[in-house]
Amino acid sequence: MRHILSGMILAAALALPVATPVAAQGLFQPVIYVNDSAVTRYEVEQRQRFMRFLGAMDTTAADAQQALVDDRLRLQAASRLGIEITPEGLAAGQEEFAGRAGLTTDELIQRLAQGGIEPQVFRDFIEAGTVWREVVRARLLAQINVSEAEVEQELRRVLETPIIDRVALSELIIPAPPGQEAQAMAIAQRIVASNPTEAQFAAFAREFSAVPSAEQGGRLDVVRLNELPPSLAPIVTGLQPGQVTQPLTVEGAVVLFFLRDALGTLRPGARAQLLDYMTLRLATEAEAARLAQITRNCDDLYTQAGAAASQIRRQTQSPEGVPALIATRLASMDPDEATALPLGDGTAELVMLCSRQPALAPLPPPNVPVTAEQPDGIGTTPEGVPAREDVRNQVFNRKITAAAENLLADLRADALIRRP
């Protein structure tokens, strides 16, 4: 990660020219006002450098300006609520952010300075993000609820998503001998900025790569994720097929990887199903057929069955656990569909399918008491499936993030944003 950040700084320095004295005269002029707060051209230029430093190499001046407008709105919303960042909070935020790259705050500030980025840009970025979290907590936290149905739905989605364990990569290794590191990085950044297709990346590999795979357009055999270097695996898994990594610096070279495809295996039980169904023994096939025709759903069956409702049996079983004759009928039925099943002695059984669902491993019910054996009250889950409380947190975070984006959009709509 340190090597990656070094490359990003160099790219930022190359991508944005240093202002000349004449050009600098207009740098501190406002380019836009957000309510009563001005955003200067210098701030836009600095934020553009900073965003490129963070890896968003295609950041335009307009992108940087919009980011600054949003930060002004965040700070103004915090001010209206009396929320301010403390020196301790600022220091903690800076340290936490720098730590993601394996750096201290001072080390990150030094890297920023090498790219021509003022320390205040970093400070302002952390301040806006920190106070915005407090705004979101104050205004939105009480409004966000996660139901058990949402937790179950997310668990099913996770279970049905294959576990990515193999990747098909193409490589491009640009020589960077001493004194030529900047040229190699410039080539790599130009390739990344072009958002190459697989064919275009292959052409770049044939032109610039210095390893034998260049003859095949950089194509490598499918490799298992656990066989990749530990530092590379999380970078690759962060890509979607068709995307290229940011430049990675190694001794004597700059490296790019293109993800052609990501391959996975289904989690245990992903194809297994549980059948939720109801049965009711009736005196005649005609009575079973009539009841099947008028019943709208499984809950409605209790009403339509009248006095016989107490004899309804509702079960949840894997197909293997369902009697063969009933399982055969259920296999072709839709949820909330009912049918009459003759039993050969003049009687019949009404069979109604309530739902089909993935066979999630047994999970304790909500609010299960905490025990010494289950300190978190969650229990074990199948391989690759998160615990219920982790899923609840994921759903909660997704909902509150969406709510925060909507709040920021409302602030934009209500603000007076004008150009001089």
Side-chain angles (χ1 to χ4, degrees), residues 149-401:
E150 289 175 305
V151 174
E152 291 292 339
Q153 183 179 29
E154 184 69 9
L155 277 169
R156 293 191 193 102
R157 186 194 66 78
V158 171
L159 182 65
E160 294 170 347
T161 301
I163 302 171
I164 300 302
D165 56 8
R166 291 156 293 151
V167 290
L169 295 171
S170 295
E171 65 179 356
L172 197 163
I173 300 178
I174 305 170
Q180 297 182 34
E181 297 90 348
Q183 294 93 318
M185 179 60 70
I187 293 171
Q189 292 292 355
R190 189 168 71 248
I191 293 171
V192 173
S194 70
N195 296 316
T197 63
E198 181 179 345
Q200 290 168 336
F201 187 88
F204 284 130
R206 294 186 183 95
E207 181 178 358
F208 295 110
S209 191
V211 293
S213 63
E215 296 181 5
Q216 293 80 44
R219 289 176 68 92
L220 301 174
D221 293 335
V222 173
V223 62
R224 292 192 173 277
L225 276 177
N226 59 11
E227 295 174 354
L228 292 176
S231 60
L232 179 59
I235 296 173
V236 170
T237 55
L239 299 175
Q240 295 295 323
Q243 291 184 333
V244 62
T245 63
Q246 290 295 325
L248 310 175
T249 57
V250 298
E251 186 175 357
V254 178
V255 182
L256 298 175
F257 289 100
F258 182 93
L259 180 62
R260 302 195 311 271
D261 199 5
L263 309 171
T265 56
L266 289 175
R267 290 171 171 79
R271 287 201 175 100
Q273 287 188 336
L274 291 178
L275 300 177
D276 177 10
Y277 70 101
M278 304 171 81
T279 58
L280 174 61
R281 181 72 65 89
L282 293 166
T284 66
E285 183 179 350
E287 177 61 15
R290 185 193 68 83
L291 191 57
Q293 186 174 13
I294 65 174
T295 302
R296 294 170 298 174
N297 53 55
C298 286
D299 291 336
D300 186 43
L301 180 58
Y302 291 101
T303 301
Q304 300 296 340
S310 61
Q311 301 174 40
I312 295 172
R313 294 186 62 201
R314 183 164 185 170
Q315 303 177 67
T316 301
Q317 297 280 350
S318 66
E320 295 79 12
V322 179
L325 192 57
I326 296 176
T328 301
R329 288 296 183 95
L330 290 174
S332 61
M333 293 170 61
D334 295 324
D336 290 326
E337 182 181 353
T339 188
L341 182 63
L343 298 179
D345 59 356
T347 66
E349 192 150 37
L350 180 141
V351 178
M352 188 164 201
L353 177 64
C354 301
S355 69
R356 288 190 182 88
Q357 53 189 306
L360 291 174
L363 294 174
N367 305 317
V368 66
V370 176
T371 67
E373 291 76 20
Q374 284 182 286
D376 56 6
I378 296 172
T380 59
T381 61
E383 179 185 354
V385 178
R388 179 182 292 273
E389 199 58 29
D390 293 335
V391 171
R392 186 184 305 281
N393 291 336
Q394 291 170 9
V395 176
F396 175 85
N397 290 336
R398 189 162 62 238
K399 293 177 75 172
I400 201 165
T401 297

